[in-house]
Amino acid sequence: MSITAPQGFRAAGVAAGIKSAPKQDLALVVNDGPLDVAAGVFTSNRVQAAPVVWSRQAVSDGRARAVILNSGGANACTGPEGFADTHATAEHVASLLEVSAQDVLVASTGLIGERLPMPRILAGAEAALAALGAGPEADESTARGIMTTDTVPKQASATTPSGARVGGIAKGAGMLAPQLATMLVVLTTDAVVCAADARAALREATRTTFDRVDSDACMSTNDTVLLLASGASGVSPSLEELTEAVREVSADLARQLVADAEGASHDVHVQVTSATTEEAALAVAREIARSNLVKAAIYGNDPNWGRIVAAAGCVPESVAPFDPADLAVSVNGVQVSRGGGVGESRDLVDMTPRECLIEVDLGAGSACGDIWTNDLTHDYVEENSAYSS
Amino acid sequence: MSITAPQGFRAAGVAAGIKSAPKQDLALVVNDGPLDVAAGVFTSNRVQAAPVVWSRQAVSDGRARAVILNSGGANACTGPEGFADTHATAEHVASLLEVSAQDVLVASTGLIGERLPMPRILAGAEAALAALGAGPEADESTARGIMTTDTVPKQASATTPSGARVGGIAKGAGMLAPQLATMLVVLTTDAVVCAADARAALREATRTTFDRVDSDACMSTNDTVLLLASGASGVSPSLEELTEAVREVSADLARQLVADAEGASHDVHVQVTSATTEEAALAVAREIARSNLVKAAIYGNDPNWGRIVAAAGCVPESVAPFDPADLAVSVNGVQVSRGGGVGESRDLVDMTPRECLIEVDLGAGSACGDIWTNDLTHDYVEENSAYSS
């Protein structure tokens, strides 16, 4: 169970005919309350899809009753007509549920620059409403409704010590998703929580999970992470407890996103330690995670510390103070570089596991930070060049 | 002719046995004067190879008599021993030429983290000294001495209106060079010029040429661009004249670097116009040029404006103010996106030429800036993963 593991939620995924293939492509999640608390975080790309513009505004009051999501079309760069389509979708779901359109959030993923097939979206919403349910089947069908190039549905759940539940579904991100790797995530909880705490828990949880997945440095126009709270458990966990459960579900989903980067042959975990600040550690980790030369070397099972050190050196000193002569780099546990130079033999490194751990010690302080990415493979190039979009 | 086109220079490239294959791998350029003016610009990577540390200091007085360059080894991340190797190389060339070691610049390119084979370097310097000459053969041999994965030697020359000559050789950069794409460039001129003007001309020329080639966002530990002036022509061009000639040679060499990105199927020219400042235009151009999704789409002959617009949207508004609704994107002359949405049919775009022109109009001001890059291909992945280093 995932998205309907918390009490008070029903969900469904249906095949509405938006995708060319007859697969689930529309999902609906309804919060039956008693609470209708909601929070969201969205892409920081300045080019924002219509559903992002809509949902950001609609969730700003901390309330929502439902989320409708579609794959097969991003509704981005579609102008005022595209925004009207999102608005009409929210209105339609609102009328079906007899709630205000402002309480219906919308998320889309797929091609940029094309209008959605609105008759199919609106008919699909009705079909999804009729199919709403709770339980493993409803959860998986809902998770499938938002898949694009994902090969498996992504679901997770957790329970706070006090007994409140958190569930979630996610799609995308795999660096190999051709459509800018949009990440859509819906999290649910039956905790009794106010809007401010829901927002705080979501922001803190995403900061150390989804924000640290950097598959190919390309930020989508549609990224959306939502948290809905029903209060149906009657349990009021502390903010710390709730945040930890939301973080646990988010971390699980984020790891699934990395693992489903089709064609990637390694999941790469870049851990930077002994930094002056967490921001400095993350800046170095991100620079390494974004280096095509590092990523291609890992694909070639080459623990190429020279490329790792050179990537670290590209971070300005004002951002991450460290002395290059103090750097140490370990790959899968073997310290192949120390003191800024040669360390253990790179022949000692076993690069065959799918998970590759790169540890960089800056020797400058006591803060740390990590980023997950994937290697750069032939299949990445193939998937992002051979299939036009 | 290139590096010895200006009067007062002799050069040679020899096979010193540094590379495993019997190819030229060591080059020597000597300035016979009467002037010994020199200027240099170096990588801003904080991890700097020993020859970069040496040459940056040695050229700081604005004077140099010779440059010795080697391929087959970067002498980076080699610690105090590596610096001693560079120092010994400069001392050896200085003793052969009967000049001060401080007047001998050193540049290296190749593997990171391995010591150079010093006996071969020192013997090679003597062989190069014996082979010094001027003319097309000497120029090409010298250009070949610094090649790594380059497939052709890169040479250029120009003449100021007043009759002073500028010549140059370059290696590397092709995004496919596995060794961090180190760029080594030696420029020569027989103009009569003071050290301050040589430095100013070099900085201005590189700013709009080499600095605007961004093949894969990876900055080398060894990048070096040097300008030597002999004064042998007796001609004293204005600073503007000299800068223009140095810029012309630099632009020619930079374009050759892009064209020799082995395996790349497109040379991509990203031109951003109607920006508030040149810095804003360059930031947007660089973000687009660094997007793996854009680069893979171009490899697939797909004029994917959605990915271009999304990349532009990743630049913070504080860096490049513009309204996404005002963006217009043309690919090879067809305006496929306007007003932030759909424009002409992408089917009208001919992607078959090797050169691909991406024009982005920000609609925000009157400044412009451009970046050259390459597409992301299977051969890039292959060259940077299959061959360990």
Side-chain angles (χ1 to χ4, degrees):
Chain A
M1 304 246 324
S2 59
I3 199 157
T4 64
Q7 302 172 59
F9 291 94
R10 289 176 298 151
V14 298
I18 308 167
K19 288 179 182 168
S20 50
K23 296 178 176 174
Q24 284 104 323
D25 48 20
L26 190 132
L28 182 64
V29 180
V30 174
N31 179 356
D32 289 321
L35 298 182
D36 60 356
V37 164
V41 295
F42 302 91
T43 182
S44 52
N45 197 312
R46 292 158 66 191
V47 178
Q48 308 210 334
V52 168
V53 175
W54 171 269
S55 298
R56 189 194 296 275
Q57 195 278 327
V59 81
S60 62
D61 64 356
R63 297 173 54 231
R65 273 290 170 197
V67 186
I68 181 165
L69 311 97
N70 74 276
S71 49
N75 198 5
C77 301
T78 45
E81 297 83 2
F83 187 79
D85 289 344
T86 289
H87 190 181
T89 303
E91 288 280 7
H92 190 64
V93 172
S95 70
L96 295 172
L97 294 173
E98 298 182 344
V99 300
S100 158
Q102 288 292 318
D103 290 335
V104 178
L105 308 180
V106 184
S108 301
T109 179
L111 294 187
I112 288 179
E114 295 186 6
R115 297 279 299 280
L116 292 175
M118 285 306 292
R120 296 180 182 190
I121 296 271
L122 300 182
E126 293 172 32
L129 184 77
L132 282 174
E137 276 185 41
D139 286 353
E140 178 171 334
S141 185
T142 307
R144 286 188 181 279
I146 58 174
M147 284 166 58
T148 52
T149 55
D150 307 64
T151 62
V152 291
K154 295 162 187 77
Q155 309 180 66
S157 64
T159 306
T160 67
S162 51
R165 285 186 171 161
V166 176
I169 58 171
K171 67 80 48 178
M175 64 182 286
L176 301 179
Q179 310 311 335
L180 290 167
T182 289
M183 178 175 66
L184 299 187
V185 180
V186 181
L187 304 168
T188 53
T189 181
D190 52 19
V192 176
V193 57
C194 66
D197 280 2
R199 190 178 300 123
L202 182 64
R203 289 202 173 273
E204 178 57 22
T206 55
R207 192 181 71 79
T208 57
T209 56
F210 298 117
D211 285 355
R212 298 201 178 171
V213 175
D214 192 333
S215 56
D216 62 0
C218 296
M219 185 164 46
S220 163
T221 52
N222 288 62
D223 287 338
T224 300
V225 183
L226 302 171
L227 171 63
L228 308 178
S230 69
S233 68
V235 172
S236 300
S238 68
L239 176 56
E240 290 66 32
E241 269 187 27
L242 179 66
T243 300
E244 179 51 30
V246 175
R247 200 204 57 75
E248 183 183 335
V249 171
S250 297
D252 192 337
L253 292 172
R255 186 67 186 84
Q256 292 181 50
L257 292 172
V258 171
D260 195 27
E262 295 168 46
S265 63
H266 291 87
D267 303 338
V268 186
H269 193 191
V270 184
Q271 285 188 326
V272 175
T273 56
S274 304
T276 52
T277 62
E278 183 181 18
E279 291 65 37
L282 288 172
V284 174
R286 203 174 284 278
E287 189 80 21
I288 294 167
R290 289 182 171 184
S291 163
N292 278 351
L293 291 173
V294 170
K295 291 153 77 101
I298 293 169
Y299 172 51
N301 287 327
D302 175 13
N304 195 316
W305 62 267
R307 294 182 184 180
I308 295 167
V309 165
C314 289
V315 178
E317 186 159 15
S318 58
V319 174
F322 64 86
D323 182 339
D326 293 334
L327 286 181
V329 177
S330 295
V331 179
N332 285 351
V334 179
Q335 195 175 62
V336 286
S337 175
R338 64 173 68 100
V342 181
E344 302 296 315
S345 167
R346 56 175 72 183
D347 295 341
L348 299 174
V349 182
D350 178 10
M351 294 290 287
T352 54
R354 181 172 173 98
E355 187 165 322
C356 174
L357 175 62
I358 296 176
E359 294 169 288
V360 178
D361 187 312
L362 299 182
S366 56
C368 59
D370 65 324
I371 294 285
W372 280 93
T373 189
N374 295 103
D375 53 354
L376 179 60
T377 69
H378 284 298
D379 284 350
Y380 177 87
V381 174
E382 191 65 17
E383 182 150 353
N384 288 293
S385 63
Y387 308 121
S388 183
S389 59
Chain B
M1 303 238 335
S2 59
I3 199 158
T4 66
Q7 301 172 59
F9 291 94
R10 289 176 298 151
V14 298
I18 308 166
K19 289 178 182 169
S20 51
K23 294 177 178 178
Q24 284 105 323
D25 48 20
L26 189 132
L28 182 64
V29 181
V30 174
N31 179 355
D32 289 320
L35 299 182
D36 61 355
V37 166
V41 295
F42 302 90
T43 182
S44 51
N45 197 312
R46 291 157 67 189
V47 178
Q48 309 212 332
V52 167
V53 175
W54 170 268
S55 298
R56 189 193 297 276
Q57 194 280 327
V59 81
S60 62
D61 63 356
R63 297 173 54 230
R65 274 290 170 197
V67 186
I68 181 166
L69 312 97
N70 75 276
S71 49
N75 198 5
C77 301
T78 46
E81 298 82 1
F83 188 79
D85 289 343
T86 289
H87 190 179
T89 303
E91 288 280 6
H92 190 65
V93 172
S95 69
L96 295 173
L97 293 173
E98 299 183 343
V99 300
S100 159
Q102 288 292 318
D103 291 334
V104 178
L105 309 180
V106 184
S108 300
T109 179
L111 294 186
I112 288 180
E114 295 187 4
R115 297 280 299 279
L116 291 175
M118 285 305 292
R120 295 180 183 191
I121 295 271
L122 300 182
E126 293 172 32
L129 184 77
L132 283 174
E137 276 186 39
D139 286 354
E140 177 170 336
S141 186
T142 307
R144 286 190 180 279
I146 58 175
M147 284 166 60
T148 51
T149 55
D150 307 63
T151 62
V152 291
K154 295 163 187 76
Q155 308 180 66
S157 64
T159 306
T160 68
S162 51
R165 285 186 171 161
V166 176
I169 58 171
K171 68 78 49 177
M175 64 182 284
L176 300 177
Q179 310 312 337
L180 290 167
T182 289
M183 177 175 65
L184 299 186
V185 180
V186 181
L187 304 169
T188 53
T189 180
D190 53 19
V192 176
V193 57
C194 66
D197 281 1
R199 190 178 299 124
L202 182 63
R203 289 202 173 274
E204 176 58 23
T206 55
R207 192 181 70 81
T208 56
T209 57
F210 299 117
D211 285 356
R212 298 200 177 170
V213 175
D214 191 333
S215 56
D216 62 1
C218 296
M219 186 164 46
S220 161
T221 52
N222 289 62
D223 288 337
T224 301
V225 183
L226 301 171
L227 171 63
L228 308 178
S230 70
S233 68
V235 173
S236 300
S238 68
L239 177 56
E240 291 66 32
E241 269 188 26
L242 178 66
T243 300
E244 178 51 30
V246 174
R247 201 203 58 74
E248 183 182 335
V249 171
S250 297
D252 191 338
L253 292 171
R255 186 68 187 80
Q256 292 181 50
L257 293 172
V258 171
D260 195 27
E262 294 167 48
S265 64
H266 291 88
D267 303 338
V268 186
H269 193 190
V270 184
Q271 286 188 324
V272 175
T273 56
S274 304
T276 51
T277 62
E278 183 181 17
E279 291 64 38
L282 288 172
V284 173
R286 204 174 285 278
E287 190 81 21
I288 294 167
R290 289 182 171 185
S291 164
N292 279 351
L293 290 174
V294 170
K295 291 155 75 101
I298 293 170
Y299 172 51
N301 287 327
D302 175 12
N304 195 315
W305 63 265
R307 295 182 184 180
I308 295 168
V309 164
C314 290
V315 178
E317 186 159 15
S318 58
V319 174
F322 64 86
D323 183 340
D326 293 335
L327 286 182
V329 177
S330 295
V331 180
N332 286 350
V334 178
Q335 194 175 61
V336 286
S337 174
R338 63 173 67 101
V342 182
E344 301 295 315
S345 167
R346 58 175 73 182
D347 296 342
L348 298 174
V349 182
D350 178 10
M351 294 290 286
T352 54
R354 181 173 173 99
E355 188 166 323
C356 174
L357 175 62
I358 297 176
E359 294 169 287
V360 178
D361 187 312
L362 299 182
S366 57
C368 59
D370 66 323
I371 295 285
W372 279 94
T373 190
N374 294 103
D375 53 355
L376 180 59
T377 70
H378 283 299
D379 284 351
Y380 177 87
V381 174
E382 190 65 17
E383 182 149 354
N384 288 293
S385 63
Y387 308 121
S388 181
S389 58

